[in-house]
Amino acid sequence: MVRALPVIFGVTLIELLVVLALIAILAAVAVPLFSAQRLEWRLRAQAGQLISAIWVARSTALKTRRPVMLCPAHGKSCIGTYTAGFAVYGSAGELVRLFPPRPGVHVYGRSGGSEVSRPVSWGGDGLANRNLTFLFCTKGTDANWSVVLNRVGRPRLVRNWGICPG
């Protein structure tokens, strides 16, 4: 009985180079798209963090029946802009929770004219002291995310709701 030798299939050098060239072309096209997507995810993550801060502030005010404030945080003090991070403070000035900044993300008002620096406070009834829109922008992407806060104290997240500065 004669045994047949196994057939071994190979790849030529030309075929290998063609496949590598196609992979390089696809990577060159995809990398800029992923870079812009990563920047947009960073914006949305920071906007989501502000929504978390708003819910922490509102629920703390309702739970303690005392005023609570959300403001830009620089260390443990309530100064600066929301771009540098933000914090929730209780009625006695105690820090409830600190939210760090994300690099490259700027927080503006809806018109995009200046960075937001004014605090927002909630009374013991859970009502905010004002309406406000926080616009999250970064260089490298045209997209932006906004957190719209109404007087009732409830936030909502909206995509492309404002104009980022050029």
Side-chain angles (χ1 to χ4, degrees), residues 61-142:
L62 285 168
K63 183 173 69 176
T64 62
R65 298 303 228 170
R66 303 192 70 142
V68 174
M69 183 170 57
L70 170 68
C71 64
H74 183 73
K76 291 190 176 184
S77 58
C78 197
I79 59 171
T81 65
Y82 286 85
T83 298
F86 36 90
V88 176
Y89 292 95
S91 60
E94 76 279 5
L95 178 64
V96 175
R97 186 151 176 218
L98 182 65
F99 296 85
R102 292 195 189 268
V105 176
H106 298 277
V107 184
Y108 298 97
R110 183 170 181 210
S111 65
S114 63
E115 292 189 2
V116 179
S117 61
R118 291 180 41 193
V120 181
S121 61
W122 284 261
D125 55 2
L127 295 177
N129 65 336
R130 62 194 177 106
N131 297 324
L132 183 63
T133 298
F134 298 89
L135 177 64
F136 293 84
C137 302
T138 190
K139 291 183 181 355
T141 181
D142 293 332

Side-chain angles (χ1 to χ4, degrees), residues 14-44:
I14 301 291
E15 292 170 335
L16 182 64
L17 289 175
V18 168
V19 169
L20 289 176
L22 287 174
I23 290 173
I25 291 169
L26 289 175
V29 170
V31 166
L33 296 174
F34 287 130
S35 178
Q37 187 66 40
R38 189 177 54 91
L39 290 173
E40 188 174 342
W41 288 336
R42 184 181 296 168
L43 287 174
R44 184 167 177 158

